[in-house]
Amino acid sequence: MRRHLILSLLLFWIVCGLGNSPLPAQPPASDLESLEERAFKQAAALMNPSIVRIETVGGQDRVGKLITGTGPTSGVVVSRDGLIISSAFNFIGKPSSILVTLPDGRRFPAVVVATDHLRMLTLLKIEADNLPIPTAVPEKDLQVGMWSIALGRTFELDQPSISVGIVSALERIWGKAIQTDAKISPINYGGPLVDIQGRLMGILVPLSPGATGETAGVEWYDSGIGFAIPMTDVLKVIPRLNTGKDLHPGLLGITLSGKGDLSTEMNLDRVRYGSPAQEAGLKAGDTLIKLNDKPVALHSEVKSVLMSLYAGDTVSLTVTREGAKEPLTFKATLTEKLVPFESGFLGILPVREAQNQTTPGVGVRYVIPDSAAQKAGVKAKDQILEFNQQKVTSAEMLAFLVNHLRPEDQASLLISRDEKPVKLDVKLQKTPDAVPAEIPTQAIPSRTAQENKTQKIKAGHYKEKLPGSDSSYWAYVPENYHPDYEYGLMVWIHPPGNTMESTIFNEWKSICEQRGIIIVGPTAEDVIRWNRDETEFVEAVVKSMQQRYDIDPTRIFLLSHADGADFAFDLAFKYRELFRGVAVTEGSLKSRPPETDPDYPLSLYFALNAHNPLNQLLQPRLDLIREMNYPTVFQLIKNDQQPGEYPEKPFLEEIGRWADSLDRI
Amino acid sequence: MNQAKLIKPILICICLLGALLVPVHRLDASSRETIQYALPRLVKIFGAGGVKNLYGYSTGFLVSPEGHIATIWSPVLDTDQLSVVLHDGRRYEAEVLGAEPHLDLAIIKLKSERDLNLPYFNYEEKATAGAGTRILGFSNMFRVATGDEPVSVLHGVIEARTDLPRRRGAFELSYTGDVYVVDAITNNPGAAGGVIMTYDGKLLGMIGKQVRNAKTNTWVNYSLPIDVLSKSIRQIVTGKFESSEDQNEPEPSIVERYKPIDFGLVMVPDVLFRTPAFIDTVLPGSQVAQAGLKPDDLVVFVNDELIKSCKTLKSELGKLEAGDTVRLVVRRENQLVAVELQVPPEKKIKE
């Protein structure tokens, strides 16, 4: 009987499939689930004494578009004598006071020691001793798929809040972070991510691969995409932060040709002026092959190395250079800020030649008063033949040479005056922030409307649609348009709600005829507002005008009024290669512009009624954009007009002169 | 003989296997068994709404074999044509039996001539659970379950059982008690009125409405605990309901009896949204002067309540009663200094 029993148990074992299972015997599902649950709770309990609650007092209630939270946040003890690490996000409102509460209820005032703006961590210090430090997981033990438990101390003081997930990826956000699908949000930013044994994996922070702002990544809260800075990196950075100096992302100052992270074009497109890359000796056209002795063949590989380094860190770059037999290696020390580039300025307006004309060098149409050119003795009707011993054959080439030098740089000019060569030395200046009181117009031989008609050139005021587009645009081409000469192009961006077509046409017609400018006014599909997607439509309109008429690429500018400015600036910063100026009346600039680029100079013009409350907002913006070295004119309108009204003729004439001088060198 | 010998172990084996197939007691159940148990007990509710941010659907759970359903008190119920779809697609008209707006709770009942004998949840068990407990969330979220499809299931853990909403203004909620905050995204359109359960089959709570946590400006996933709801469910189901709304004293109007100046405190001008409560001047000879408070001290706690701004200081001091002892904690440089004061007698307000 006993034998039967043993036999039957054995059979039962086999029937259940457990005897020959390739996997080790597993406890039943319910056991496993409850064991795991117990493990989550134990892991949280193990870490519990090292998690602190952080509360802040005062500070901004809004940072950018984000309304800052006022709830408690979390931090982790990292030294026995009171160093606490937390997420920099918790302090973006710049609170006037920070208080830390330990799990045992003791409260301490805290001071910010320093912030790491690359990994978005903030180190705090409280005057406490004998605090419990958690155990960190060795980096080699981290694996995708392992349990990860996110803890915080927002809700209850005696018990951490718990969210459970797995490690979704390692070395995310250009090598900086562990990714987890545990729910990460302002509830636990600054708190720990622990493994199932209660060991510290990292510190929870919001991050985003595409953005670097202080609120980047917050939009992903609770979405299953959460990040933690690995503890090994946190521990490396604490001694640096503990010196009291903030850490910033390191900048090198190069751009690679080709677009997208998977691009394999490794040529240096640009080397920024005054950047660590330039100082190290790198040049545009070099091909990058190694970074920190590691071969690189993709843009993303370059990003992974550079975007995890701090200002002050050194990086070695190996490049191949045309003409050099061996690859060259350079060492660069990364910097916190790149010097904004400022183009040099000579101070002349070039003669606008007809297409079939071929005169040597560049003719001087006008010399701007008090400019470098005037001081050096350049006069109207001179022909500039050489700049710094280089022959110049076009205004475009002269502009390129001048724009790539900086104010205060010396240069030599060879000019022809009354058919005699004259050598002049010139010291370049800053581009002026004012428009000359007079700029002579250049007379263009006139054509009759009939002549244009026979050549099927559409002139005058007309309305059209682009093929395949629902949006329309209007245009005004001076009736005496002459196809042999280049014209300026004024792109009118109407404010939301009103195309202002007749106002613009009536006010600008004569100015544009005088100065050889074509007007084009794209209309938003819904006049109520411009949609950001419509930038492509405006670009297409400009391109089609360029195909139809002879347009000077250096004199294409955007004109806008009031709130239309937002869209005009969107366009200008998106299509840097297309637009050379933005003139805005009764409007402001809301976002920070990108860095200046000598290849695509952009001039700005603002006219604002003295009574317009926007003045308060605009003034600090003007300081900023001038600091960034954008040539910027600001005209304060003092008259009886109401704020917001379209300015009167004399003010528009100044904008006309400004537009007419966009091809200045 | 040999055959008989072989049959015996096989029989025993079959018996043992049979024992395995008998439903286990739910408290030892696995998540899979809990899901099988719960799904027939959840219903999809369709009613009013369907415009703007009002959803015309929600979730409910059966609390009696006769078709009593507990659900969220919401505009969905505000219709004469309330319909309920069971997990198997059976559709019934329903009526609202009663509601407890303070708990966001409503009980509806299926209209049926016949004895329904439906599976239901035992809400009287009043189970509770702490942070880290695994949960399953059941709801008609986003109305993805159509016809005879059972509701959706999510998994997660309890983040905390917390009294956070008790703080006035922290949540846009009428309910002011404990909630379970969970890390599963349970609070979706139409999910309110669903349930959360432990993996081993205990009913923990009813999924609440979608609300934002005003302190962190984030959406919060919470459920109303069943131990809080069970009494009202029973009362409405049995027809012996006394709404706590009637018993509740009217919300005390906030009389600000005291101002900082009554203690001898002159605060910095309150010019910002969150002006920190810095002391500008201390009136000579006042209580706070005697207690040693100084200009530039930052008031950070009043009776353990964090003082985030001049506004919160005013409201916390205003709540005090004459004769109370009030504990103020100020931050001076890098130290916290605590003082205790006696609240002065209330001044007669001159008409």
Side-chain angles (χ1 to χ4, degrees), chain A residues 4 8 15 30 33 36-37 40-41 55-58 60-61 67-71 96-99 107 109-111 147 155-156 160-164 183 186 221-222, chain B residues 5 9 28-31 131-134 157-164 183 185 199 215 217-219 273-274 276 298 300-301 304 306-308 331 334-336:
Chain A
H4 288 164
S8 54
V15 169
S30 62
E33 286 173 344
E36 280 173 341
E37 183 176 306
F40 301 154
K41 291 179 179 175
E55 286 164 293
T56 59
V57 175
Q60 302 162 14
D61 54 318
I67 300 167
T68 57
T70 56
S96 45
S97 192
I98 300 168
L99 296 157
R107 286 188 182 117
V111 288
W147 284 116
F155 295 121
E156 300 290 303
S161 62
I162 303 176
S163 174
V164 177
K183 302 303 181 289
Y221 82 83
D222 282 353
Chain B
K5 272 183 185 172
D28 300 324
S30 68
S31 54
T133 304
R134 292 179 133 188
V157 298
I158 294 175
E159 278 199 67
R161 179 165 168 154
T162 176
D163 65 345
L164 186 68
D183 76 347
I185 310 299
Y199 267 38
K215 290 194 173 221
N217 297 308
T218 50
W219 293 100
F273 178 69
R274 283 204 293 265
L298 173 69
V300 285
F301 288 98
D304 287 339
L306 181 74
I307 302 302
K308 292 180 165 295
R331 179 174 182 160
N334 201 15
Q335 283 196 321
L336 293 184

XYZ file of all heavy atoms in Angstrom, chain A residues 4 8 15 30 33 36-37 40-41 55-58 60-61 67-71 96-99 107 109-111 147 155-156 160-164 183 186 221-222, chain B residues 5 9 28-31 131-134 157-164 183 185 199 215 217-219 273-274 276 298 300-301 304 306-308 331 334-336:
633
model
N 2.257 1.857 -3.255
C 1.273 2.498 -4.146
C 1.249 3.985 -3.951
O 1.183 4.762 -4.903
C -0.139 1.925 -3.877
C -0.264 0.535 -4.393
N -1.275 -0.294 -3.996
C 0.499 -0.171 -5.266
C -1.117 -1.464 -4.585
N -0.046 -1.390 -5.364
N 2.045 6.650 -6.650
C 1.036 7.609 -7.112
C 1.537 9.057 -6.962
O 1.286 9.891 -7.823
C -0.282 7.441 -6.357
O -0.040 7.518 -4.986
N 2.824 13.904 -13.859
C 1.660 14.448 -14.562
C 1.660 15.966 -14.480
O 1.355 16.673 -15.432
C 0.349 13.862 -13.989
C -0.868 14.621 -14.520
C 0.236 12.394 -14.355
N 0.540 32.315 -6.810
C 0.099 33.170 -5.710
C 1.217 33.357 -4.693
O 1.397 34.438 -4.158
C -1.154 32.592 -5.059
O -0.854 31.336 -4.514
N 3.740 35.762 -6.189
C 3.229 37.129 -6.148
C 3.321 37.711 -4.746
O 3.723 38.855 -4.559
C 1.780 37.163 -6.642
C 1.697 36.999 -8.155
C 0.267 36.864 -8.662
O -0.636 36.600 -7.841
O 0.069 37.021 -9.879
N 6.966 38.403 -3.892
C 7.440 39.633 -4.552
C 6.909 40.864 -3.823
O 7.637 41.809 -3.575
C 6.975 39.654 -6.015
C 7.833 38.805 -6.927
C 7.278 38.692 -8.335
O 6.072 38.962 -8.544
O 8.050 38.332 -9.225
N 5.632 40.802 -3.489
C 5.023 41.945 -2.802
C 5.746 42.224 -1.480
O 6.032 43.358 -1.134
C 3.546 41.666 -2.561
C 2.815 42.828 -1.927
C 1.325 42.557 -1.789
O 0.690 42.228 -2.800
O 0.817 42.665 -0.664
N 8.983 43.950 -2.240
C 8.844 45.392 -2.526
C 8.813 46.172 -1.210
O 9.470 47.190 -1.046
C 7.534 45.717 -3.266
C 7.334 45.027 -4.591
C 6.053 44.800 -5.078
C 8.421 44.627 -5.352
C 5.848 44.172 -6.288
C 8.229 43.996 -6.580
C 6.941 43.765 -7.039
N 7.988 45.648 -0.297
C 7.804 46.375 0.960
C 9.088 46.377 1.786
O 9.428 47.378 2.414
C 6.653 45.761 1.762
C 5.298 45.986 1.107
C 4.174 45.361 1.900
C 2.831 45.630 1.236
N 1.725 44.961 1.900
N 10.644 70.439 1.864
C 9.579 71.421 1.649
C 10.212 72.768 1.343
O 11.275 73.082 1.860
C 8.679 71.500 2.882
C 7.784 70.282 2.962
C 7.136 70.081 4.326
O 7.878 69.796 5.290
O 5.934 70.214 4.414
N 9.555 73.527 0.488
C 10.125 74.820 0.112
C 9.156 75.943 0.415
O 7.948 75.741 0.433
C 10.469 74.853 -1.396
O 9.267 74.619 -2.122
C 11.515 73.830 -1.756
N 9.723 77.098 0.655
C 8.926 78.277 0.999
C 9.281 79.380 0.014
O 10.454 79.613 -0.269
C 9.258 78.738 2.431
C 8.529 80.022 2.768
C 8.924 77.653 3.435
N 8.248 80.053 -0.493
C 8.482 81.180 -1.400
C 8.954 80.715 -2.766
O 8.967 79.534 -3.074
N 9.237 81.432 -7.259
C 8.349 81.705 -8.390
C 7.261 80.645 -8.471
O 7.514 79.493 -8.175
C 9.132 81.669 -9.709
C 10.278 82.629 -9.789
C 11.246 82.227 -10.895
O 10.951 81.400 -11.749
N 12.428 82.816 -10.855
N 6.076 81.076 -8.909
C 5.006 80.102 -9.051
C 4.932 79.585 -10.481
O 4.150 78.722 -10.793
C 3.663 80.706 -8.647
C 3.364 81.979 -9.387
O 4.286 82.793 -9.546
O 2.205 82.171 -9.816
N 3.533 75.526 -14.225
C 3.193 76.070 -12.918
C 3.934 75.207 -11.918
O 3.752 73.993 -11.873
C 1.676 76.020 -12.673
C 0.966 76.835 -13.739
C 1.330 76.517 -11.284
C -0.520 76.620 -13.789
N 4.810 75.808 -11.136
C 5.629 74.990 -10.246
C 4.762 74.446 -9.108
O 3.846 75.115 -8.647
C 6.789 75.792 -9.653
O 6.255 76.919 -8.978
C 7.740 76.258 -10.713
N 5.088 73.239 -8.678
C 4.342 72.630 -7.589
C 4.733 73.258 -6.264
O 5.789 73.870 -6.136
N 3.862 73.100 -5.280
C 4.212 73.613 -3.963
C 4.222 72.478 -2.957
O 4.392 72.698 -1.775
C 3.191 74.665 -3.500
O 1.911 74.056 -3.533
C 3.213 75.878 -4.392
N 4.003 71.275 -3.443
C 3.918 70.138 -2.536
C 5.290 69.715 -2.061
O 6.300 70.147 -2.598
N 12.851 80.647 -1.402
C 13.684 81.452 -0.511
C 14.128 80.646 0.700
O 15.078 81.004 1.371
C 12.951 82.714 -0.085
O 11.642 82.414 0.270
N 13.444 79.559 0.982
C 13.893 78.727 2.090
C 13.567 77.267 1.812
O 12.552 76.966 1.190
C 13.202 79.182 3.378
O 13.835 78.580 4.474
N 14.466 76.393 2.277
C 14.260 74.955 2.068
C 14.323 74.273 3.431
O 15.221 74.563 4.236
C 15.344 74.363 1.133
C 15.301 75.056 -0.230
C 15.190 72.861 0.977
C 16.488 74.756 -1.120
N 13.368 73.387 3.686
C 13.342 72.670 4.963
C 13.372 71.185 4.688
O 12.698 70.705 3.780
C 12.059 73.011 5.713
C 11.959 74.480 6.108
C 10.526 74.865 6.322
C 12.776 74.743 7.358
N 13.362 68.205 12.026
C 13.378 69.136 10.896
C 14.643 69.966 10.911
O 15.134 70.345 11.967
C 12.218 70.120 11.024
C 10.901 69.538 10.715
C 9.891 70.668 10.699
N 8.590 70.116 10.437
C 7.597 70.176 11.293
N 7.742 70.791 12.443
N 6.443 69.636 10.974
N 16.723 73.291 8.660
C 16.814 74.182 7.506
C 17.930 73.667 6.608
O 18.924 73.131 7.110
C 17.184 75.533 8.122
C 17.708 75.231 9.471
C 17.289 73.859 9.879
N 17.745 73.802 5.316
C 18.768 73.284 4.392
C 19.289 74.408 3.514
O 18.571 75.368 3.231
C 18.162 72.198 3.511
N 20.553 74.277 3.132
C 21.090 75.218 2.149
C 21.446 74.442 0.882
O 21.805 73.273 0.948
C 22.359 75.950 2.658
C 22.017 76.969 3.717
C 23.399 74.973 3.166
N 13.647 44.230 -11.336
C 12.692 45.062 -10.612
C 13.325 46.396 -10.243
O 14.511 46.454 -9.904
C 12.244 44.373 -9.308
C 11.264 43.265 -9.488
C 11.486 41.952 -9.196
C 9.931 43.350 -9.963
N 10.376 41.200 -9.480
C 9.398 42.041 -9.946
C 9.124 44.385 -10.407
C 8.101 41.759 -10.356
C 7.831 44.108 -10.826
C 7.334 42.802 -10.794
N 3.871 61.903 0.626
C 2.577 61.746 1.289
C 2.703 61.585 2.795
O 2.199 62.389 3.562
C 1.834 60.538 0.721
C 1.459 60.695 -0.718
C 1.914 59.805 -1.661
C 0.638 61.737 -1.119
C 1.556 59.937 -2.992
C 0.277 61.891 -2.445
C 0.745 60.977 -3.388
N 3.345 60.505 3.212
C 3.400 60.189 4.629
C 4.825 60.357 5.120
O 5.772 60.086 4.392
C 2.955 58.739 4.865
C 1.548 58.457 4.412
C 0.517 59.148 5.285
O 0.503 58.923 6.505
O -0.287 59.941 4.737
N 7.530 55.599 3.056
C 7.708 56.178 1.720
C 6.564 55.798 0.788
O 5.915 54.774 0.979
C 9.024 55.570 1.243
C 9.184 54.320 2.012
C 8.452 54.485 3.308
N 6.344 56.633 -0.219
C 5.411 56.241 -1.271
C 6.164 55.280 -2.197
O 7.369 55.402 -2.372
C 4.937 57.462 -2.047
O 6.016 58.094 -2.679
N 5.431 54.323 -2.743
C 6.086 53.248 -3.499
C 5.469 53.110 -4.883
O 4.245 53.069 -5.015
C 5.924 51.887 -2.764
C 6.484 51.983 -1.344
C 6.609 50.769 -3.548
C 6.270 50.717 -0.525
N 6.312 53.059 -5.885
C 5.853 52.684 -7.218
C 6.811 51.616 -7.746
O 8.016 51.734 -7.582
C 5.835 53.890 -8.138
O 5.524 53.459 -9.439
N 6.248 50.594 -8.357
C 7.082 49.464 -8.763
C 7.098 49.324 -10.277
O 6.075 49.490 -10.933
C 6.556 48.159 -8.123
C 7.373 46.960 -8.595
C 6.601 48.255 -6.606
N 6.310 54.564 -11.916
C 5.716 55.877 -12.171
C 6.531 56.957 -11.468
O 6.608 57.009 -10.243
C 4.255 55.905 -11.700
C 3.386 54.842 -12.353
C 3.397 54.931 -13.878
C 2.518 53.894 -14.531
N 3.036 52.526 -14.426
N 6.452 64.494 -10.034
C 6.870 65.403 -8.954
C 6.665 64.796 -7.555
O 7.212 65.286 -6.583
C 5.981 66.625 -9.158
C 5.731 66.643 -10.628
C 5.601 65.200 -11.018
N 5.582 62.644 -16.888
C 5.353 62.101 -15.556
C 4.289 60.996 -15.577
O 3.344 61.067 -16.345
C 4.998 63.215 -14.558
C 3.562 63.673 -14.563
C 2.587 62.978 -13.842
C 3.165 64.793 -15.267
C 1.268 63.386 -13.841
C 1.857 65.225 -15.264
C 0.906 64.504 -14.561
O -0.386 64.899 -14.563
N 4.517 59.960 -14.785
C 3.585 58.833 -14.641
C 3.282 58.090 -15.945
O 2.285 57.397 -16.040
C 2.244 59.304 -14.044
C 2.331 59.503 -12.538
O 3.369 59.149 -11.956
O 1.364 60.016 -11.947
N -3.541 -3.253 -9.319
C -2.481 -2.518 -8.625
C -2.197 -1.170 -9.306
O -1.887 -0.185 -8.670
C -1.203 -3.354 -8.589
C -1.131 -4.268 -7.398
C 0.191 -4.997 -7.389
C 0.209 -6.008 -6.243
N 1.399 -6.843 -6.325
N -3.074 3.595 -7.932
C -2.326 4.880 -7.949
C -2.921 5.884 -8.916
O -2.936 7.073 -8.646
C -0.916 4.492 -8.380
C -0.942 3.074 -8.772
C -2.199 2.466 -8.257
N -6.102 33.075 -0.766
C -4.832 32.506 -1.221
C -4.740 32.595 -2.731
O -3.903 31.983 -3.354
C -4.742 31.016 -0.809
C -4.816 30.894 0.695
O -4.263 31.787 1.354
O -5.449 29.929 1.177
N -5.661 33.327 -3.336
C -5.776 33.293 -4.787
C -4.615 34.003 -5.455
O -3.939 34.826 -4.867
C -7.081 33.959 -5.206
N -4.404 33.660 -6.726
C -3.398 34.355 -7.524
C -4.097 35.503 -8.247
O -5.325 35.584 -8.253
C -2.798 33.402 -8.545
O -3.789 33.071 -9.493
N -3.290 36.369 -8.890
C -3.887 37.496 -9.603
C -4.847 37.013 -10.680
O -5.887 37.604 -10.904
C -2.781 38.350 -10.219
O -1.955 37.543 -11.018
N 1.204 50.699 1.689
C 2.047 51.018 0.537
C 2.854 49.803 0.112
O 3.345 49.054 0.950
C 2.988 52.169 0.871
N 2.975 49.609 -1.188
C 3.749 48.491 -1.733
C 2.889 47.281 -2.031
O 3.340 46.348 -2.686
N 1.620 47.285 -1.575
C 0.734 46.151 -1.845
C 0.341 46.167 -3.312
O -0.031 47.198 -3.850
C -0.539 46.261 -0.974
O -0.132 46.337 0.381
C -1.466 45.083 -1.185
N 0.436 44.998 -3.924
C 0.075 44.928 -5.340
C -1.427 45.007 -5.512
O -2.177 44.391 -4.749
C 0.572 43.607 -5.925
C 2.062 43.554 -5.995
C 2.459 42.243 -6.556
N 3.443 42.443 -7.587
C 3.890 41.482 -8.383
N 3.399 40.267 -8.292
N 4.797 41.728 -9.271
N 0.928 49.045 -7.807
C 1.010 48.889 -6.350
C 0.405 50.125 -5.698
O 0.252 51.164 -6.332
C 2.461 48.718 -5.832
C 3.122 47.481 -6.385
C 3.304 49.955 -6.087
N 0.080 49.989 -4.420
C -0.385 51.148 -3.660
C 0.829 52.019 -3.388
O 1.833 51.540 -2.852
C -1.046 50.710 -2.345
C -2.322 49.933 -2.660
C -1.341 51.911 -1.447
C -2.986 49.341 -1.441
N 0.762 53.286 -3.787
C 1.867 54.211 -3.475
C 1.767 54.648 -2.022
O 2.761 54.747 -1.319
C 1.799 55.445 -4.373
C 2.404 55.227 -5.742
C 2.737 56.538 -6.430
O 3.638 57.249 -5.959
O 2.077 56.849 -7.436
N 0.562 54.955 -1.603
C 0.362 55.392 -0.225
C -1.112 55.375 0.098
O -1.948 55.498 -0.793
C 0.898 56.806 -0.056
N -1.419 55.167 1.368
C -2.764 55.499 1.826
C -2.567 56.783 2.616
O -1.794 56.806 3.580
C -3.361 54.403 2.705
C -4.757 54.793 3.185
C -5.549 53.651 3.750
N -6.732 54.178 4.426
C -7.854 53.518 4.601
N -7.956 52.285 4.176
N -8.872 54.074 5.223
N -3.220 57.831 2.185
C -2.813 59.128 2.701
C -4.001 60.032 2.975
O -5.054 59.888 2.372
C -1.841 59.799 1.705
O -1.531 61.095 2.181
C -2.439 59.911 0.322
N -3.759 60.953 3.866
C -4.822 61.891 4.221
C -4.625 63.229 3.518
O -5.185 64.214 3.902
C -4.861 62.110 5.739
C -3.595 62.790 6.229
O -2.609 62.822 5.464
O -3.584 63.284 7.367
N -3.802 63.251 2.493
C -3.485 64.514 1.835
C -4.707 65.358 1.473
O -4.701 66.556 1.704
C -2.634 64.249 0.585
C -2.099 65.498 -0.120
C -1.072 66.211 0.725
C -1.505 65.114 -1.456
N 0.030 53.450 -8.210
C 0.932 53.822 -9.301
C 0.452 53.333 -10.655
O 1.098 53.585 -11.665
C 2.380 53.404 -9.009
C 2.612 51.905 -9.190
O 1.624 51.151 -9.293
O 3.789 51.496 -9.220
N -2.196 53.774 -13.709
C -2.977 54.939 -14.152
C -4.443 54.507 -14.189
O -4.988 54.176 -15.246
C -2.476 55.446 -15.520
C -0.957 55.618 -15.498
C -3.166 56.751 -15.918
C -0.424 56.613 -14.492
N -3.961 41.490 -5.121
C -3.755 40.334 -5.992
C -4.479 39.108 -5.445
O -4.958 38.274 -6.189
C -2.254 40.029 -6.110
C -1.576 40.692 -7.286
C -1.929 41.980 -7.677
C -0.585 40.020 -8.003
C -1.301 42.583 -8.747
C 0.053 40.621 -9.081
C -0.314 41.901 -9.457
O 0.306 42.488 -10.512
N -1.207 70.594 -5.402
C 0.120 70.911 -4.853
C 1.240 70.579 -5.827
O 2.266 71.218 -5.858
C 0.342 70.150 -3.555
C -0.540 70.709 -2.477
C -0.129 70.224 -1.120
C -0.947 70.974 -0.107
N -0.200 71.380 1.037
N 0.410 69.832 -9.142
C -0.140 70.055 -10.478
C -0.069 68.822 -11.352
O 0.185 68.904 -12.546
C 0.562 71.234 -11.159
C 0.323 72.508 -10.416
O -0.808 72.848 -10.127
N 1.392 73.182 -10.043
N -0.226 67.672 -10.744
C -0.223 66.438 -11.533
C -1.545 65.700 -11.308
O -2.181 65.858 -10.265
C 0.921 65.500 -11.096
O 0.879 65.362 -9.664
C 2.267 66.039 -11.506
N -1.915 64.886 -12.293
C -3.113 64.061 -12.119
C -2.798 62.992 -11.085
O -1.670 62.506 -11.015
C -3.502 63.392 -13.439
C -3.956 64.376 -14.449
C -3.221 64.877 -15.482
C -5.226 65.014 -14.530
N -3.964 65.779 -16.197
C -5.200 65.885 -15.631
C -6.395 64.939 -13.766
C -6.293 66.678 -16.003
C -7.475 65.714 -14.132
C -7.419 66.572 -15.237
N 2.756 86.066 -5.291
C 1.832 84.958 -5.139
C 2.215 84.142 -3.904
O 1.360 83.680 -3.171
C 1.917 84.085 -6.397
C 1.052 82.870 -6.342
C -0.326 82.992 -6.386
C 1.613 81.602 -6.248
C -1.124 81.876 -6.338
C 0.809 80.481 -6.205
C -0.558 80.630 -6.247
N 3.501 83.995 -3.671
C 3.972 83.240 -2.507
C 5.023 84.040 -1.765
O 6.168 83.625 -1.701
C 4.576 81.912 -2.957
C 3.576 80.872 -3.324
C 4.152 79.483 -3.187
N 5.197 79.190 -4.124
C 4.998 78.567 -5.281
N 3.800 78.195 -5.620
N 6.011 78.305 -6.074
N 7.332 84.878 0.939
C 7.718 84.142 2.140
C 7.407 84.972 3.385
O 7.502 86.199 3.348
C 9.224 83.944 1.975
C 9.521 84.264 0.559
C 8.480 85.218 0.103
N 12.323 84.017 9.341
C 11.314 83.516 8.403
C 10.426 82.524 9.150
O 10.922 81.533 9.686
C 11.998 82.818 7.224
C 11.092 82.096 6.234
C 10.260 83.090 5.433
C 11.912 81.231 5.288
N 8.385 79.471 9.502
C 8.256 78.283 8.652
C 7.205 77.284 9.136
O 6.702 76.492 8.344
C 9.613 77.573 8.418
C 10.459 78.363 7.436
C 10.380 77.333 9.687
N 6.906 77.301 10.418
C 5.839 76.414 10.889
C 4.984 77.130 11.934
O 5.499 77.858 12.770
C 6.410 75.140 11.543
C 6.999 74.186 10.555
C 8.374 74.158 10.317
C 6.190 73.311 9.839
C 8.924 73.293 9.395
C 6.741 72.430 8.920
C 8.107 72.419 8.691
N 3.177 72.984 13.550
C 3.521 71.908 12.621
C 2.923 72.037 11.228
O 3.047 71.141 10.403
C 3.144 70.522 13.191
C 4.118 70.146 14.294
O 5.224 70.721 14.322
O 3.762 69.287 15.123
N 3.227 73.711 7.698
C 4.263 74.450 6.962
C 3.696 75.791 6.481
O 2.619 75.843 5.908
C 4.749 73.645 5.757
C 5.849 74.330 4.936
C 7.187 74.285 5.673
C 5.985 73.697 3.569
N 4.429 76.844 6.748
C 3.998 78.173 6.313
C 4.738 78.509 5.035
O 5.928 78.771 5.021
C 4.299 79.231 7.410
C 3.590 78.853 8.700
C 3.902 80.622 6.949
C 2.078 78.710 8.593
N 3.973 78.449 3.925
C 4.621 78.635 2.630
C 4.671 80.090 2.229
O 5.416 80.467 1.342
C 3.849 77.862 1.555
C 3.983 76.384 1.748
C 3.237 75.648 0.689
C 3.673 74.210 0.659
N 5.060 74.067 0.266
N 12.995 80.316 10.840
C 14.334 80.029 10.341
C 15.147 81.317 10.475
O 14.798 82.342 9.900
C 14.275 79.599 8.889
C 15.652 79.326 8.339
C 15.612 78.764 6.953
N 16.980 78.481 6.526
C 17.313 77.666 5.558
N 16.390 77.040 4.902
N 18.574 77.470 5.236
N 20.821 79.866 9.420
C 20.719 78.460 9.066
C 20.269 77.619 10.258
O 20.717 76.500 10.441
C 22.072 77.985 8.528
C 21.901 76.748 7.688
O 20.768 76.426 7.298
N 22.981 76.045 7.444
N 19.417 78.206 11.075
C 18.938 77.476 12.252
C 17.429 77.585 12.357
O 16.838 78.575 11.925
C 19.554 78.102 13.503
C 20.998 77.699 13.705
C 21.445 78.005 15.110
O 21.059 79.046 15.646
N 22.233 77.143 15.693
N 16.840 76.556 12.960
C 15.415 76.648 13.251
C 15.251 76.991 14.722
O 15.855 76.364 15.591
C 14.715 75.331 12.949
C 14.661 74.912 11.485
C 13.838 73.639 11.328
C 14.080 76.005 10.603
